[in-house]
Amino acid sequence: MPGTRSSTGTGRAVAAAAALLMTGCCLLLAWSLLPGPARAAGRTVSSTELIEHPDKYNGRRVAYEGEAIGEILRRGDNAWLTLNDDPYRHRPRREYQELKGGNSGIGVYGPYAEASRITRLGSYDSLGDLVLVEGTFFKANPEQGGDLMIEFDTLTVLRKGHAVNRNHIGAKPVVAAALLLASAALAWMWWRSRKRLVG
Amino acid sequence: MSIPLVMSLALKEWVPALDLFIGMLSCFVFGAVTRLTCRTDETASWLVGMVTVALAWLAAMVMGAIPLMLSGHFGSFLDACFDTMSGLATTGLTLIQDLDHLAYGTNFWRHLLMFLGGQGIVVVVLTFFVSGSSRAVELYLGEGRDERILPNVVSTARFIWVVSLVYLVIGSLVLWVTALQAGMPPAKGLFHAVSIFMAGYDTGGFTPMSQSIIFYHSLWFECATMLVMFLGMINFAVHYAAWTGNRRELAKNVEIRTLGVTILLTTSLAVIGLAHLGVLPDAVALFRKGFYQIISGHSGTGFQTIYGRQFITQWGSLALFATIIAMGLGGSASSTSGGIKAIRVHISARSIWLEAKRLILPPSSVISEKYHHIRERTITHDLVRGVLIVTGCYIIAYLAGALVITMFSDYSLTQALFESTSACGNVGLSCGLTNPAMPSTVKVVFIIQMWAGRLEFISVFMLIGFLVALARGK
């Protein structure tokens, strides 16, 4: 019967759609359960949040993302890092000439083998690697002299840093030249007045 | 500015070098114009000497701010002036933005400001540019230094610089070794060591990194900085006594003894408060966080081993109160510390005791109180009056600053009092209130507090009186 054939076809389409939907849901669920940097990046906590609410996160596992700054301070098999999560980690001030407030960040401590993946540290002429660490947050770690910090076990470099060489000189050379001329003129005037006084 | 300029050139930081060069030339032009227009052969009076000092500090603030402003790390010239005054007055509060990407030359200039301001701008002039003058006394005293170590103020100024430079070499070496031990590479470690010595010895508080002393995560580095802060909070006259072999002075000196008592009291309060709340897990943590912050506050340095907001989120009222008290009291007179100063704390306390004795004993009794500072001295009415005036000025300035801050912002009175005491006591500890986004009125209040606190009010009062008299046509 044409009508029965038609209803069977609709049923198959609905079944196929349901199967696809189910598969999609299963994949989504599986993906959500998978550990990894991409997933953890979505759950990262900021340094401000950690410092403002230390009790809430104390002893809990957290993921934290920031620009590696300054130096890797090696301590035997481990190392200390400072990771800044301020806006400059994405938009270096020297490149964009934008001010977005002071720096904010936190100290993290973990295996040197993980920390040594960092190839560039943030400084005047560099934007440091953007890294993601996962580990335990302590509001006052007894093993680290009471430091508020994250003891990480995994470190992932999310983005390599780069040299920042862009200079915005503007009218500075003109100002310097004008001041140099003014200085020379004033020095000459002073020398003349002194000579007159001595004479 | 020539030292950071050479440093910038050596490190190929061309634009910061140009900023510093413009700053140098601006100073030269300003100096030459004032020399040509304001020069006089008349002997300066006491009033003129004091007014000159107050104005010189304002001029130094504006001139010193030029390379900072040109660096592009400040939101406005007011912010750059704030940091320059903070540096010169050895406070340590900062409005710099993105410090962690600042050029080495400019960063060194910030720390050098503290080294110059700590010894005193006038002391710099007396040391290097004056061969001996009667006018030097007014200038020297106007800068908040109330005693001459040697009979001649120029010799005194030179002694202050000799002591400071010797300590600079020794202290920087000690900090460098501890920085290497903490994992710093040699060249950068040396830069950090010299910068932190200058900020620590001059009880300033600027650091090369935004994380202050937390950046190093090292017990030994913290101990070395504590030693430097201790050196900075001691009177230069006591340094002189120790240097010339009179080491007994260290045990007998009233300021050292008073500091011992006040450090013990404020530390005890902080430890009780922190232990009660269970903030820190053990004695080592109490030493590295609690004791360190008290020493940092008491000496007027402002180095931090905790994040600023932890004062508010974790420390609780008692420990916070202890830190405010420590900041308010300050170190020794004629040192690089700010605050009320140990000698005034001692004399104020002794004067209360003296009055109590007068009430108890028969009216015919002759009561005399003495104290030991380099030599035996008697507590006189004039001395007590002078001490109480300056002490009162500090307390009023701490409270008035806090009130103004709460009027012009949303901060709580406790936070405002913490920051106000830090600014006026030239300390530099911050509970997070000082930031580039705070209202301009509050920034100006802090600048005035830092300036007046460093000059111990007298020069500033003289300037105000001078301006009022000028306005009235007298």
Side-chain angles (χ1 to χ4, degrees):
Chain A
M1 281 183 353
T4 314
R5 209 177 293 144
S6 172
S7 67
T8 311
T10 311
R12 274 181 192 162
V14 169
L20 264 173
L21 197 68
M22 287 292 285
T23 313
C25 285
C26 286
L27 280 173
L28 198 69
L29 187 70
W31 180 70
S32 71
L33 291 172
L34 274 174
R39 279 296 306 137
R43 290 185 276 114
T44 54
V45 63
S46 71
S47 61
T48 310
E49 174 72 6
L50 291 171
I51 294 164
E52 287 292 329
H53 307 287
D55 291 317
K56 183 179 166 188
Y57 293 96
N58 190 33
R60 281 177 58 183
R61 198 168 168 76
V62 294
Y64 175 78
E65 174 203 298
E67 178 195 359
I69 282 286
E71 290 303 325
I72 299 172
L73 303 175
R74 189 172 183 177
R75 305 285 162 84
D77 292 336
N78 294 307
W80 275 102
L81 291 170
T82 298
L83 301 181
N84 280 3
D85 63 344
D86 51 45
Y88 305 109
R89 73 188 191 277
H90 296 306
R91 293 175 74 82
R93 188 208 60 83
R94 217 172 141 195
E95 271 184 12
Y96 292 90
Q97 293 296 301
E98 287 174 345
L99 289 172
K100 301 270 185 187
N103 295 118
S104 60
I106 199 168
V108 300
Y109 181 79
Y112 179 74
E114 294 281 318
S116 59
R117 287 185 199 158
I118 294 167
T119 51
R120 193 180 279 272
L121 292 150
S123 66
Y124 171 64
D125 50 12
S126 287
L127 175 72
D129 288 357
L130 185 69
V131 302
L132 176 88
V133 291
E134 288 184 77
T136 310
F137 171 75
F138 293 92
K139 69 172 185 179
N141 190 339
E143 288 174 13
Q144 302 298 340
D147 276 359
L148 182 147
M149 46 84 76
I150 295 170
E151 202 165 302
F152 70 88
D153 43 52
T154 60
L155 182 148
T156 314
V157 177
L158 299 176
R159 184 208 64 211
K160 290 275 181 197
H162 61 266
V164 183
N165 293 320
R166 193 176 296 171
N167 288 320
H168 293 260
I169 299 180
K172 286 176 188 176
V174 179
V175 174
L179 283 167
L180 201 61
L181 280 172
S183 302
L186 285 162
W188 180 75
M189 282 166 73
W190 177 72
W191 179 74
R192 272 198 62 180
S193 67
R194 197 162 173 237
K195 203 176 164 188
R196 205 178 300 141
L197 275 171
V198 172
Chain B
M1 292 179 205
S2 53
I3 299 169
L5 172 63
V6 169
M7 188 181 209
S8 285
L9 291 172
L11 294 169
K12 297 177 183 172
E13 294 175 342
W14 307 122
V15 180
L18 190 59
D19 298 341
L20 288 157
F21 187 57
I22 290 172
M24 270 177 77
L25 291 173
S26 305
C27 288
F28 183 81
V29 169
F30 177 76
V33 168
T34 46
R35 195 181 171 91
L36 284 168
T37 54
C38 306
R39 189 186 160 83
T40 174
D41 291 326
E42 286 177 37
T43 305
S45 65
W46 171 265
L47 173 71
V48 171
M50 290 285 183
V51 168
T52 306
V53 170
L55 288 174
W57 275 74
L58 290 180
M61 174 188 77
V62 174
M63 292 291 116
I66 292 170
L68 295 185
M69 184 62 213
L70 293 174
S71 73
H73 284 261
F74 290 88
S76 66
F77 193 66
L78 179 67
D79 290 8
C81 284
F82 181 101
D83 264 45
T84 314
M85 183 54 86
S86 179
L88 288 171
T90 67
T91 307
L93 293 172
T94 183
L95 297 179
I96 195 163
Q97 303 188 43
D98 197 19
L99 169 63
D100 293 336
H101 292 102
L102 184 67
Y104 285 100
T106 317
N107 212 342
F108 195 71
W109 172 236
R110 292 170 70 240
H111 292 86
L112 201 58
L113 280 171
M114 294 202 138
F115 200 55
L116 299 174
Q119 270 56 262
I121 299 168
V122 169
V123 169
V124 175
V125 174
L126 294 178
T127 308
F128 301 108
F129 304 108
V130 175
S131 55
S133 159
S134 59
R135 279 170 288 182
V137 182
E138 283 80 29
L139 298 172
Y140 176 80
L141 296 176
E143 208 166 44
R145 299 206 184 282
D146 39 18
E147 62 186 318
R148 277 176 270 176
I149 302 160
L150 296 163
N152 182 316
V153 282
V154 176
S155 311
T156 302
R158 283 179 186 156
F159 171 75
I160 289 173
W161 269 99
V162 169
V163 170
S164 303
L165 292 172
V166 169
Y167 283 144
L168 172 68
V169 173
I170 299 168
S172 297
L173 276 173
V174 172
L175 283 169
W176 189 37
V177 170
T178 51
L180 294 177
Q181 187 268 337
M184 292 290 291
K188 282 187 185 173
L190 184 62
F191 169 75
H192 282 240
V194 175
S195 299
I196 286 182
F197 177 84
M198 290 196 292
Y201 174 69
D202 285 281
T203 61
F206 280 164
T207 47
M209 305 301 291
S210 64
Q211 297 244 329
S212 192
I213 301 299
I214 316 169
F215 176 81
Y216 307 95
H217 303 284
S218 161
L219 171 66
W220 294 113
F221 197 80
E222 286 160 23
C223 288
T225 52
M226 264 199 261
L227 191 68
V228 172
M229 290 191 281
F230 270 119
L231 281 176
M233 72 196 291
I234 293 173
N235 193 315
F236 279 109
V238 178
H239 280 295
Y240 181 77
W243 275 47
T244 49
N246 182 13
R247 291 191 175 82
R248 287 178 64 194
E249 181 63 29
L250 289 170
K252 285 167 69 181
N253 189 274
V254 71
E255 284 198 293
I256 304 275
R257 287 181 174 190
T258 308
L259 283 175
V261 172
T262 52
I263 288 171
L264 189 70
L265 284 174
T266 47
T267 304
S268 304
L269 280 177
V271 166
I272 292 167
L274 293 170
H276 178 67
L277 293 174
V279 176
L280 297 169
D282 52 29
V284 177
L286 277 169
F287 175 76
R288 292 181 64 178
K289 310 293 171 192
F291 183 63
Y292 192 95
Q293 289 315 135
I294 290 294
I295 292 299
S296 179
H298 214 313
S299 63
T301 309
F303 285 156
Q304 294 194 201
T305 51
I306 62 168
Y307 296 94
R309 287 292 300 166
Q310 282 183 273
F311 279 119
I312 304 300
T313 58
Q314 282 186 285
W315 269 43
S317 307
L318 190 59
L320 198 66
F321 173 73
T323 314
I324 294 173
I325 296 290
M327 289 195 295
L329 294 177
S332 300
S334 287
S335 71
T336 60
S337 284
I340 293 169
K341 312 274 180 354
I343 190 92
R344 294 198 184 101
V345 173
H346 179 85
I347 292 170
S348 302
R350 288 281 290 275
S351 68
I352 295 169
W353 172 239
L354 207 63
E355 283 307 308
K357 267 167 89 173
R358 277 206 182 95
L359 289 171
I360 296 162
L361 294 171
S364 57
S365 308
V366 178
I367 305 160
S368 170
E369 287 281 326
K370 288 185 184 297
Y371 67 97
H372 181 89
H373 175 59
I374 309 299
R375 57 184 168 80
E376 290 298 315
R377 297 163 196 244
T378 309
I379 298 177
T380 61
H381 275 295
D382 282 348
L383 180 71
V384 171
R385 195 184 59 195
V387 163
L388 290 180
I389 286 172
V390 179
T391 306
C393 284
Y394 271 108
I395 294 169
I396 291 167
Y398 296 153
L399 296 173
L403 284 174
V404 173
I405 293 164
T406 43
M407 276 162 60
F408 287 95
S409 65
D410 300 328
Y411 304 113
S412 73
L413 190 60
T414 314
Q415 288 180 47
L417 185 63
F418 186 97
E419 221 80 356
S420 168
T421 309
S422 180
C424 193
N426 300 129
V427 181
L429 289 179
S430 175
C431 61
L433 189 152
T434 303
N435 67 76
M438 69 181 181
S440 295
T441 326
V442 178
K443 291 176 188 174
V444 173
V445 168
F446 279 170
I447 289 175
I448 294 169
Q449 281 190 310
M450 293 189 279
W451 174 54
R454 174 62 181 83
L455 299 181
E456 300 198 335
F457 304 101
I458 305 301
S459 302
V460 177
F461 289 157
M462 293 272 197
L463 176 63
I464 294 166
F466 183 78
L467 292 174
V468 169
L470 212 64
R472 286 180 178 173
K474 293 178 183 175

